[in-house]
Amino acid sequence: MKKILIAAVACLGLAACNGNDEKVYTVDELVNDPATLERIYNECSNDPGRLSETPNCKNVAQARWKSRLNNMSKSLQ
């Protein structure tokens, strides 16, 4: 019983240390949701020193690039 209690407390402690509850969006999710893309882009642009290496900021950069390519392709048709 004591071992189970120690294991449970350890698991809760590790879960609490994560501190990052923000959903990580994929590039395709961001391309298909321009409002979320814009919101995250603004957050990343506002604090690039702290946020530029986060998964969402990296995915936003790729999603913006993909969106531009999609728009160029549509304009050429």
Side-chain angles (χ1 to χ4, degrees):
M1 181 68 176
K2 193 174 189 180
K3 289 181 181 179
I4 293 173
L5 181 60
I6 291 171
V9 169
C11 288
L12 288 174
L14 290 174
C17 290
N18 184 9
N20 187 3
D21 295 332
E22 183 178 359
K23 179 185 185 320
V24 176
Y25 293 92
T26 66
V27 172
D28 287 335
E29 285 176 321
L30 291 166
V31 168
N32 293 323
D33 186 354
T36 301
L37 180 122
E38 189 66 22
R39 178 183 57 80
I40 294 173
Y41 173 74
N42 288 334
E43 290 172 8
C44 296
S45 297
N46 193 40
D47 193 359
R50 187 173 61 90
L51 299 175
S52 66
E53 295 300 316
T54 62
N56 275 337
C57 289
K58 289 180 178 183
N59 289 350
V60 160
Q62 291 298 316
R64 286 174 52 90
W65 177 252
K66 189 172 183 177
S67 292
R68 277 183 251 149
L69 289 177
N70 287 344
N71 289 338
M72 284 190 277
S73 177
K74 288 177 186 176
S75 69
L76 293 174
Q77 292 177 354

